[in-house]
């Protein structure tokens, strides 16, 4: 019995993918908790830091996702993931050596280059190992890497920066990722594919043609993108909001933010996958309806939390949307997997992520930073939380697109033999 046919091997693959994905978001979030010391040391404005945190990362991350996913579809998904982990970890470490705006910007470009090859091949690998009736739960477990990584990045970054300095935090997490890469490659193997898949992959244009003709793809892609615009912006800027509005120190911010991300995010991601598998079996529309309901609740509860007068009032209010705003990950990523045949999954996921990250990651952090700079004259220290509150309208827009997708999802779904 080979490693890829052992009964427990899919669970081991999923665990390793989850660990890599945790590092993916740990490397992203560590920038957010270190915003204040980095800005002070390098002399950055909110808009410049928003560009470093979002636009710099998104530019090459989004553009390289499709070719790297296509490479994974035709070669080895596990090797592409291991290579991506190595690249983004090296550039994360290099962020700790930056001495100015443009050096930090270029290092974040490098992090984006690496992480471009991690997510879409992982989606496809999970879809290869797990049957349709268990796939949303498996993808939701994989997506736990987001809240766990965000919480770890927040807490580790805060403690390391407080005890040593912000540069050390980047070096520590970057080196750890480089060490993990060969271990991942030694353990994880691709699942056996149908005959001819690796030798004669479908052209990228053929995948695009299928997706372009399906309204479900566009509605889900833009719905997730508008949600991610808020999500990535809030992930980067919420630590600064807490410091400015509640006069928190670095460690207090890390503890407050880390607990929200870990508790709320973990519950929301897993609940999304479990509910989607349970409800979606009888009615595919739930893969879109469920996230739409969650987004409609996220907007007002985030606003109430940000505008509350006390951190003791803010914490329970912010816990709710920290669970609901990423509930979409399991249902929607599963639905995208089922819009194309198996051999096209990584490329289809990368096409979805291209739109999601260009809008979500590229626009969200920068938009909130620019709004904050614009509102400082009238709102002073509270400008950032009012900027974040204004952007929450994108959750409502995401919900409307998700509800529109319900009617098309059953028609566009590709069942497996």
């Amino acid at each position: 019995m080979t490693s890829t046919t052992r009964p427990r091997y899919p669970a081991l693959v999923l665990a390793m993918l989850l660990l890599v994905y945790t590092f993916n978001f740990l490397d992203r979030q560590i920038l957010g908790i270190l915003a204040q010391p980095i800005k002070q040391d390098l002399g950055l404005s909110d808009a410049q830091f928003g560009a470093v945190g979002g636009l710099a990362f998104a530019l090459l991350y989004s553009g390289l996702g499709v070719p790297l996913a296509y490479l994974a579809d035709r070669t080895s998904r596990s090797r592409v993931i291991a290579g991506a982990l190595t690249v983004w970890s090296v550039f994360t470490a290099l962020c700790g050596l930056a001495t100015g705006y443009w050096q930090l910007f270029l290092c974040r470009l490098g992090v984006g280059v690496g992480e471009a090859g991690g997510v879409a091949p992982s989606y496809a690998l999970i879809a290869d190992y797990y049957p349709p009736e268990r796939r949303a739960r498996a993808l939701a477990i994989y997506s736990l890497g987001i809240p766990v990584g965000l919480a770890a990045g927040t807490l580790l970054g805060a403690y390391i920066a407080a005890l040593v300095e912000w540069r050390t935090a980047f070096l520590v997490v970057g080196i750890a990722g480089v060490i993990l890469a060969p271990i991942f490659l030694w353990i994880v193997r691709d699942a056996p594919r149908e005959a001819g898949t690796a030798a004669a992959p479908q052209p990228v244009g053929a995948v695009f043609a299928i997706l372009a003709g399906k309204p479900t793809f566009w509605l889900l892609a833009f719905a997730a993108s508008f949600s991610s615009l808020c999500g990535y912006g809030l992930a980067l800027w919420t630590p600064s909001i807490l410091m400015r509005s509640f006069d928190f120190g670095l460690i207090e911010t890390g503890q407050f933010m880390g607990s929200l991300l870990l508790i709320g995010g973990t519950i929301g991601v897993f609940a999304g996958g479990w509910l989607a598998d349970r409800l979606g079996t009888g009615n595919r529309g739930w893969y879109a309806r469920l996230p739409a309901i969650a987004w409609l609740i996220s907007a007002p509860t985030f606003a109430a939390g940000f505008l509350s007068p006390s951190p003791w009032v803010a914490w329970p209010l912010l816990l709710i949307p920290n669970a609901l705003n990423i509930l979409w990950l399991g249902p929607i990523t599963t639905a995208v997997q089922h819009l194309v045949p198996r051999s096209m999954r990584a490329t289809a996921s990368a096409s979805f992520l291209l739109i999601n990250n260009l809008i979500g990651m590229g626009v969200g952090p920068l938009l909130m930073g620019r709004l904050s700079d614009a509102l400082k004259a009238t709102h002073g220290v509270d400008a950032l939380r009012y900027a974040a509150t204004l952007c929450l309208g994108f959750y409502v827009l995401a919900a409307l697109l998700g509800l529109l997708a319900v009617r098309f999802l059953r028609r566009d779904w590709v069942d497996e033999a």
Side-chain angles (χ1 to χ4, degrees):
M1 184 177 287
T2 65
S3 63
T4 55
T5 58
R6 292 199 302 266
R8 296 182 181 178
Y9 189 69
L12 179 59
V13 170
L14 184 59
M16 291 303 299
L17 291 172
L18 169 59
L19 182 59
V20 171
Y21 204 33
T22 299
F23 269 81
N24 185 307
F25 273 85
L26 190 158
D27 290 356
R28 298 188 201 186
Q29 182 60 22
I30 200 168
L31 187 72
I33 190 64
L34 300 176
Q36 294 305 107
I38 291 174
K39 286 176 58 188
Q40 290 172 4
D41 194 5
L42 302 184
L44 307 182
S45 67
D46 282 352
Q48 285 178 314
F49 189 75
V52 168
L55 185 62
F57 186 92
L59 284 174
L60 293 180
Y61 177 83
S62 302
L64 290 176
V66 173
L68 287 175
Y70 182 65
L71 177 66
D73 271 342
R74 67 179 299 163
T75 57
S76 168
R77 287 165 181 164
S78 58
R79 289 182 180 275
V80 169
I81 295 167
L85 171 61
T86 302
V87 172
W88 89 59
S89 298
V90 168
F91 277 101
T92 296
L94 289 175
C95 287
L97 304 178
T99 58
Y101 170 68
W102 285 110
Q103 287 184 8
L104 186 60
F105 189 94
L106 292 173
C107 287
R108 292 298 292 177
L109 277 177
V111 175
V113 169
E115 294 194 11
V119 182
S122 298
Y123 286 165
L125 202 55
I126 291 169
D128 285 346
Y129 273 107
Y130 285 86
E133 66 274 10
R134 295 172 56 202
R135 195 163 292 157
R137 274 170 287 183
L139 284 165
I141 291 171
Y142 169 72
S143 297
L144 289 174
I146 297 177
V148 173
L150 292 175
T154 298
L155 290 168
L156 283 176
Y159 276 97
I160 293 173
L163 296 174
V164 191
E165 62 170 351
W166 66 267
R167 298 179 185 279
T168 305
F170 282 107
L171 291 170
V172 169
V173 299
I175 292 169
V178 172
I179 294 171
L180 175 61
I183 299 173
F184 173 87
L185 190 58
W186 178 62
I187 294 175
V188 176
R189 297 287 182 269
D190 285 19
R193 305 189 204 180
E194 57 266 33
T197 296
Q202 295 293 328
V204 173
V207 183
F208 288 163
I210 292 175
L211 293 173
K214 296 191 173 185
T216 302
F217 173 76
W218 297 107
L219 290 168
L220 292 182
F222 282 105
S225 296
F226 292 135
S227 169
S228 295
L229 185 153
C230 293
Y232 282 119
L234 294 176
L236 184 72
W237 287 116
T238 298
S240 296
I241 293 173
L242 297 173
M243 290 181 186
R244 297 181 193 183
S245 299
F246 297 135
D247 199 26
F248 278 178
L250 198 59
I251 291 180
E252 287 177 302
T253 303
Q255 293 170 339
F256 188 97
M257 182 85 175
S259 61
L260 286 174
L261 292 167
L262 188 61
I263 298 171
T266 300
I267 292 172
V269 169
F270 188 77
W274 184 80
L275 287 170
D277 275 342
R278 191 173 183 85
L279 300 172
T281 301
N283 182 350
R284 304 295 191 200
W286 278 104
Y287 285 92
R289 186 181 292 113
L290 195 62
I293 295 170
W295 289 325
L296 284 174
I297 301 172
S298 295
T301 48
F302 260 131
F306 286 140
L307 299 176
S308 61
S310 161
W312 298 103
V313 177
W315 195 90
L317 287 171
L318 291 174
L319 183 66
I320 298 169
N322 270 283
L324 295 177
N325 77 324
I326 54 175
L327 182 143
W328 67 268
L329 287 162
I332 289 185
T333 53
T334 300
V336 171
Q337 295 286 310
H338 281 279
L339 297 178
V340 295
R342 179 181 176 184
S343 62
M344 301 180 182
R345 283 174 181 159
T347 307
S349 294
S351 302
F352 166 79
L353 291 169
L354 171 65
I355 299 171
N356 183 66
N357 292 318
L358 276 176
I359 296 174
M361 198 181 304
V363 177
L366 180 59
L367 177 61
M368 287 188 189
R370 286 194 175 278
L371 282 173
S372 175
D373 284 343
L375 293 172
K376 276 182 181 175
T378 53
H379 295 284
V381 72
D382 288 324
L384 186 55
R385 67 168 162 180
Y386 285 116
T389 303
L390 287 173
C391 289
L392 295 175
F394 285 101
Y395 277 130
V396 178
L397 183 56
L400 295 176
L401 293 175
L403 292 173
L404 285 174
V406 171
R407 58 177 296 199
F408 297 103
L409 190 52
R410 281 173 287 185
R411 186 194 71 185
D412 291 341
W413 190 277
V414 176
D415 283 310
E416 295 184 3

